[in-house]
Amino acid sequence: MTVHPPNSLRRASLAGVALLWLAAWGGTEPTQAQGRSQAQNSRNTRRPCSDGCVAQVRTSGKRTVEANAEPVRDRVSRNSLPESGSSSPSFDRSQSLLAREQGRISSPLPDSKADDLIQLTFTRGGGATSLDSNAEVVLRGPQARWQLLVTGRSSAGQLQDSTRRVKYEATPPGVVAVGETGWVTPLANGTARITASNAQGLTATTTVTIREIDKPQSINFPNQIVPIFTKAGCNSGGCHGRAAGQNGFRLSLLGFEPREDFEHLVVEGRGRRLFPAAPEQSLLLLKATGSQPHGGGQRLDKDSPAFGLLYRWIQQGMPYGDATDPKVVGIEVAPEMRLMSHGETQQLAVTAMYSDGSVEDVTRLVQHESGNRDQAEVEPTGLVQAKERSGQVAVMVRFQDQVAVFRALIPHGAKARPSLEVKNFIDEWVVRNLQTLGLPPSGLCDDATFIRRTAIDVAGRLPTPEEAKRFLADLDPNKREQWVDALLASPEYADYFANKWNAILRNKRRDETSIRGNFLLHSWIRQSFHENKPYDRFMREIVTAAGDMSRTPPVAWFREVQQIEDQVQDTAQIFLGVRLQCARCHHHPFEKWSQQDYFGFSAFFSRLARKSGSLAGEQAVFHERGVAAAVNTKTKLPVKPTALGSAAFDLAPDQDPREALADWMASKDNPFFARTLVNRYWKHFLGRGLVEPEDDMRLTNPATNPELLDALARHFVEGGYDLKELIRTICRSQTYQRSSYPNEHNSADSQNFSRYYAKRLNAEVLLDAIDQLTGVPTVFPGQPAGTRAGQLPDNSFNTTSYFLALFGRPNHSSASESERTDETSLAQSLHLLNSRSIQEKLNSPNGRAALLARDASRTDDDKIRDLYYRAYSREPDRTELKAALDYLRSKSEPAGRNAGQPTKKVEAYQDTLWAMINTKEFLFNH
Amino acid sequence: MLTIYGPQHRLCDGVSRRNFLRIGALGMGGLTMPQLLRAERQAGIGKSEKSIIMIYLPGGPPHQDMYEIKTEAPSEIRGEYKPVKTSVPGIQICEHLPLLARMADKLIFVRTIVGAKDSHSSYQCMTGRLKDNPPPGGWPEIGSVLSKLRGPAHTAVPAYVNLSPPMRHRPYNFGQPSYLGAAHTPFRPEGDTREDMTLNDISIDRLADRRALLASFDRFRRDADQKGAMSGLDAFNEQAFDVLTSSRLLEALDLQKEDRKIRERYGEGTPQHQGDAAPRLMGQFLLARRLVEAGVRCVTVSFSFWDWHGKNFDRGRDNLPPFDQGVSALVEDLHQRGLDKDVTVIAWGEFGRTPKINKDGGRDHWPRVSCALLAGGGMRTGQAIGATNRLGEEPKERPVHFQEVFATLYHNLGINASQTQLPDLANRPHYLVDGYQPLAEII
């Protein structure tokens, strides 16, 4: 074209062409769910775009344009639109075309950062690993697209996303069109050299080659159509992806079963869902665009590329694709990790790898999901925006049955003190993380806090006043380590950890016949901890338990995990940190586990048989000779024992496959076993797992400090799976010993261990602590006198003890420690403030209050100090002492009292104890 | 109010005409029901004081002796009761429910509940789920869900209160922790909790002294808190002190504060447990009304014993009149106080009873069909939903799955049950109901 029509007319004609172009090629813009319409308009209508600007287009007769068609907020793109006719008209056309394609950029991009950069690079190559910036980018066919990534490096060495902060130019023109978002669209065969330049004049170049522009690919249903349903939410668990479908139309969950989806769409429904002769009349399209009443509302825009693709697919007669078409074997997201400041954006680029070795950009076809919308949001175009909250957040990317994850680290921004004390490798990794995030940690806790904290975390009790006084007075520089060692050697350590494992090993009292098993299992667990049995042996003895429970107590575990599903799911959850449940019925939605993986794991338990045990109502467990296999309920074929990600095991019929499973779990390279345990113990001591929840380790739920997790796991394995040594290592670190008081920077931190996270004492520990303080132990029916709550052998005491049930003691019904809750409630407050049982402890004539009141040999001063040591392991300060003594004095008995009544002094001590019990310092482990 | 008589008209693909129009209206505008509700909420329409009162009838009340007398069945199935006309032309209910009959325009009789299992337990009525294969943690009761999603309408009261005393047949009892956690179990102002609510052995002055002392001791820095646990504890402590001193909750539970005439209208009943189930205390319906007024989100009451394997008609004559009196008083009361739009009342049991009367003059378990009574909640009352066949064996038209009833209850509270998810202890999300929609005839 050599004629330059007036601006308005040109834009209008461009708009008209744009529509046709988009309709023909399906364009590039994925549409979002209802509520966001594009700036483009359907013919002859006037529709405001969601940004408030208005465009009007007529495709015949007079062409007028009211206002700009670009989204108003996109200041950057407007600036980069060529105003004059400096480049050739066809380039012009494609530029403004692509300007409209862009989709919304939700916030203006700050330009201030740009000054800081010293280098620009294109950081995404066309190779199988998308970070390979050297591999050539080759796009085949007119549907191919490419998301460019331009990264700037600052003088400080920090990497920043500049993808949307540069201007793109491609030479020679006409080969590709590059939008402001770095989105490349092929126009003609050839090779183009693309230059990105930013406001400072820094440039970067890359080349893109286009081939086979005139050979549109045939549409492949699983690769191209099914992802549309995933991205638009059609096949989610809430709509058509649910087991019963929705309103008579069913799709497989998240598109895991394309064959089935094809059946449902094309064959079912009397063929009325799709209408090749007039595709726009297909029920599928009418409902999806909201033209017909649709319970899910409008999911696709008529002008979107997804709509265009569906349209073409229907028009072509709904091809499924050839069996020889390549299949997706993996996806990768670039970058994998980035440091981002508040409000900053990062463009993601996702590459799909196919079975024939080819790669394809699927950035706008995949489903992007932020792991925490308070910290980061992600748009359908793959643009991540960091919000105000600092910390780490994962963005999951899903395409068919593949997942990948992008990690954003959003630093707090303060300068961390350069020299932070480092006691062991734990501190090294934590400090490194804190420095990256600019999060200064709190200082170390004082001795009083330390002795109380460790006594609770290691042994489930408070220190005695004598222990506390001795510790505070001790001048030995190693006293903290010695104290931890002493705790680990004490019987209370075994009690406390036995109580923890007892719950997740489901030691449940069902009826009278389970009592013996309850006691046996509990004792066995306790003994294992007492003698510091290596953890791999502990696991092995449980998983491979056989025979009668009187000889082999861990056989009692199999009582509660009766069905093979329970055995599989519990083993995976407790020992491998994997929640395999989802994969039983369909492909796991967040991980790579398929049903085949599930049933492969099942096969390890397929030869387990039972017979009556030595006592009525009990069962013995044994291995039944035979070939171990489980039937995959989907394929109906048997599967050999296969551990997660391993090769299939070929086992002889008289080999108990559980032994092979235990071997695999305990092997030094097992990626799950050690990491799960150290993560679980990390959570026990530090309040939050490195992976949270602690039994949900998956790719899409990354650890907040993966290097630390690996280092801990390695240390644990190399040390012979020594649990006490692990505890020692954790307690020795500065990280564990930090104060829970925040500094001015880290009060919002809840992920990075810049301080100790205070937690309320759990039910058993709290009850025992109250008993200790008041001097009146709780009596548990059927237990020897002096049994503490932490020593109870099963869950039945939750029915007899209102306190334990109320404060969240688990019912041993789950393999997850989250069955125990530490949530507060009105009933709990009422109980602590006013219950009869606690009143009785306070009022008991042999309890602490009465003893103190009767004791004439000590001053009130001494007694108050004693109480403070008992409850808080420390001295009271002057104000506290004064407050307490004033209270005691104010309640002193008047002259001439009745001898039978409790003296006011006693009441004063009762009140004092009551108040101490209800302070946060008592109720919390801080 | 729109009333529907008899069966619905249906289009050829099974979609009812009304349904179609409704869907059409929504689809055209491009907004779905949840969006409408959300938009409504944002615009301030749609109050947040919605609540429900669930009256559980342990044992399984006889559906054919309450809301749908089978006049065309032979006498060994029909039994002794006769139907009476109600204030709604075309609906007839049992002669022993005269007060309810008079106000049938304010009620909804659901005659065809299906989906039940033959199991004497409150589980299905409370959770809207069957007992098989519960998820890790266990299914939550509707009160627990409301406690989790909404909390109470007033901070000084708990969200979910259970007025049922412990019943001898254990599975009738409810209020267990679920995957929502122990914090959302119902507050039972009975037993241990009730004891904790009244001052134990100390005077109110002494409590005040203690409280002041606690304030002077409790100086631990709140900023050490990371999850809000300390502030949660403080908030509940405040609430607890309120309860212990002078309180909304205690007053709500004090029947003496209610006008004598109103108490008489509800009736006395008897505190003696019937069978192995609950007492027959209509006063608890009045308590329930007081509690929802005070801001409780869900109140559950268990009423009497309905598992009549023998002497069905005698026991009916003992139980139906008090039921009639209590429920009619409650519904009337709610209407008079203008609470009928906000408070939903439901009365039902776990299954129906056999059509054939057995040799003891009783009826046995019949899970194939059962019944429910609904009122309030801004629903379109004055209807009977569904009809059983001639012998009362199963639904002839319009079977209603109990999850549809749950969807309706949630809907009345402004929650879209088939779109709202809560995760269990294995982090697997579950919808509140599995795809069932609220009863279109009444919402």
Side-chain angles (χ1 to χ4, degrees), chain B residues 340-357:
Chain B
D340 52 295
K341 296 269 179 304
D342 291 338
V343 183
T344 307
V345 179
I346 174 170
W348 59 348
E350 62 264 31
F351 44 63
R353 303 203 79 83
T354 50
K356 191 125 190 294
I357 300 169

Short mmCIF file of all heavy atoms in Angstrom, two decimals, chain B residues 340-357:
data_model
loop_
_atom_site.label_atom_id
_atom_site.label_comp_id
_atom_site.label_asym_id
_atom_site.label_seq_id
_atom_site.Cartn_x
_atom_site.Cartn_y
_atom_site.Cartn_z
N ASP B 340 -39.43 -13.92 60.07
CA ASP B 340 -39.71 -15.05 59.17
C ASP B 340 -38.86 -15.02 57.91
O ASP B 340 -38.67 -16.03 57.27
CB ASP B 340 -41.19 -15.06 58.80
CG ASP B 340 -41.64 -13.71 58.29
OD1 ASP B 340 -41.61 -12.74 59.09
OD2 ASP B 340 -41.99 -13.61 57.11
N LYS B 341 -38.35 -13.84 57.56
CA LYS B 341 -37.52 -13.83 56.35
C LYS B 341 -36.10 -14.30 56.66
O LYS B 341 -35.38 -14.78 55.81
CB LYS B 341 -37.42 -12.40 55.79
CG LYS B 341 -38.72 -11.82 55.32
CD LYS B 341 -38.93 -12.11 53.84
CE LYS B 341 -40.22 -11.56 53.31
NZ LYS B 341 -41.40 -12.02 54.03
N ASP B 342 -35.70 -14.12 57.89
CA ASP B 342 -34.30 -14.38 58.22
C ASP B 342 -34.06 -15.74 58.83
O ASP B 342 -32.97 -16.26 58.75
CB ASP B 342 -33.80 -13.33 59.22
CG ASP B 342 -33.70 -11.96 58.58
OD1 ASP B 342 -33.61 -11.90 57.35
OD2 ASP B 342 -33.71 -10.97 59.33
N VAL B 343 -35.07 -16.26 59.48
CA VAL B 343 -34.86 -17.52 60.20
C VAL B 343 -35.55 -18.65 59.45
O VAL B 343 -36.74 -18.56 59.16
CB VAL B 343 -35.42 -17.45 61.62
CG1 VAL B 343 -35.12 -18.74 62.37
CG2 VAL B 343 -34.84 -16.25 62.35
N THR B 344 -34.82 -19.68 59.13
CA THR B 344 -35.40 -20.87 58.50
C THR B 344 -35.61 -21.92 59.57
O THR B 344 -34.72 -22.16 60.39
CB THR B 344 -34.45 -21.44 57.44
OG1 THR B 344 -34.08 -20.42 56.54
CG2 THR B 344 -35.10 -22.58 56.68
N VAL B 345 -36.79 -22.53 59.54
CA VAL B 345 -37.06 -23.61 60.47
C VAL B 345 -37.20 -24.90 59.68
O VAL B 345 -37.84 -24.91 58.62
CB VAL B 345 -38.37 -23.35 61.25
CG1 VAL B 345 -38.65 -24.49 62.21
CG2 VAL B 345 -38.28 -22.04 62.01
N ILE B 346 -36.59 -25.96 60.17
CA ILE B 346 -36.78 -27.26 59.52
C ILE B 346 -36.97 -28.30 60.61
O ILE B 346 -36.27 -28.27 61.63
CB ILE B 346 -35.60 -27.63 58.60
CG1 ILE B 346 -35.78 -29.05 58.08
CG2 ILE B 346 -34.25 -27.47 59.28
CD1 ILE B 346 -34.83 -29.44 56.98
N ALA B 347 -37.93 -29.17 60.39
CA ALA B 347 -38.18 -30.27 61.33
C ALA B 347 -38.22 -31.56 60.54
O ALA B 347 -39.03 -31.70 59.63
CB ALA B 347 -39.49 -30.06 62.07
N TRP B 348 -37.32 -32.48 60.87
CA TRP B 348 -37.28 -33.76 60.15
C TRP B 348 -36.51 -34.80 60.92
O TRP B 348 -35.83 -34.51 61.89
CB TRP B 348 -36.69 -33.61 58.75
CG TRP B 348 -35.30 -33.06 58.68
CD1 TRP B 348 -34.56 -32.48 59.66
CD2 TRP B 348 -34.48 -33.03 57.51
NE1 TRP B 348 -33.34 -32.10 59.19
CE2 TRP B 348 -33.26 -32.42 57.88
CE3 TRP B 348 -34.64 -33.46 56.18
CZ2 TRP B 348 -32.21 -32.23 56.97
CZ3 TRP B 348 -33.60 -33.26 55.28
CH2 TRP B 348 -32.39 -32.65 55.68
N GLY B 349 -36.66 -36.04 60.43
CA GLY B 349 -35.95 -37.16 61.05
C GLY B 349 -35.17 -37.92 60.00
O GLY B 349 -35.09 -37.49 58.85
N GLU B 350 -34.60 -39.04 60.40
CA GLU B 350 -33.66 -39.70 59.50
C GLU B 350 -34.29 -40.59 58.43
O GLU B 350 -33.64 -40.89 57.44
CB GLU B 350 -32.62 -40.51 60.30
CG GLU B 350 -33.17 -41.64 61.14
CD GLU B 350 -33.38 -41.22 62.57
OE1 GLU B 350 -33.66 -40.03 62.81
OE2 GLU B 350 -33.30 -42.09 63.45
N PHE B 351 -35.51 -41.05 58.63
CA PHE B 351 -36.19 -41.78 57.56
C PHE B 351 -37.68 -41.84 57.86
O PHE B 351 -38.14 -41.36 58.91
CB PHE B 351 -35.63 -43.20 57.36
CG PHE B 351 -35.36 -43.98 58.63
CD1 PHE B 351 -36.38 -44.34 59.50
CD2 PHE B 351 -34.07 -44.39 58.93
CE1 PHE B 351 -36.12 -45.05 60.66
CE2 PHE B 351 -33.80 -45.12 60.09
CZ PHE B 351 -34.82 -45.44 60.94
N GLY B 352 -38.46 -42.44 56.94
CA GLY B 352 -39.91 -42.57 57.14
C GLY B 352 -40.22 -43.94 57.74
O GLY B 352 -39.33 -44.63 58.24
N ARG B 353 -41.50 -44.33 57.63
CA ARG B 353 -41.87 -45.60 58.25
C ARG B 353 -42.66 -46.47 57.28
O ARG B 353 -43.20 -45.96 56.28
CB ARG B 353 -42.64 -45.33 59.54
CG ARG B 353 -41.80 -44.46 60.50
CD ARG B 353 -42.22 -44.59 61.92
NE ARG B 353 -41.68 -45.81 62.52
CZ ARG B 353 -40.45 -45.93 63.02
NH1 ARG B 353 -39.62 -44.92 63.00
NH2 ARG B 353 -40.05 -47.07 63.54
N THR B 354 -42.71 -47.77 57.60
CA THR B 354 -43.30 -48.72 56.65
C THR B 354 -44.77 -48.44 56.40
O THR B 354 -45.50 -48.10 57.31
CB THR B 354 -43.20 -50.16 57.17
OG1 THR B 354 -43.68 -50.19 58.50
CG2 THR B 354 -41.79 -50.68 57.11
N PRO B 355 -45.17 -48.60 55.17
CA PRO B 355 -46.59 -48.45 54.86
C PRO B 355 -47.44 -49.48 55.61
O PRO B 355 -48.45 -49.15 56.21
CB PRO B 355 -46.65 -48.68 53.36
CG PRO B 355 -45.28 -48.36 52.87
CD PRO B 355 -44.35 -48.74 53.97
N LYS B 356 -46.99 -50.74 55.63
CA LYS B 356 -47.78 -51.77 56.27
C LYS B 356 -47.61 -51.67 57.77
O LYS B 356 -46.50 -51.64 58.29
CB LYS B 356 -47.29 -53.14 55.77
CG LYS B 356 -48.17 -54.28 56.15
CD LYS B 356 -48.58 -55.08 54.89
CE LYS B 356 -49.66 -56.10 55.25
NZ LYS B 356 -49.17 -57.14 56.16
N ILE B 357 -48.72 -51.62 58.45
CA ILE B 357 -48.65 -51.56 59.91
C ILE B 357 -48.37 -52.96 60.43
O ILE B 357 -48.97 -53.93 59.99
CB ILE B 357 -50.00 -51.05 60.47
CG1 ILE B 357 -50.25 -49.66 59.88
CG2 ILE B 357 -49.98 -50.99 61.98
CD1 ILE B 357 -51.64 -49.15 60.12
#
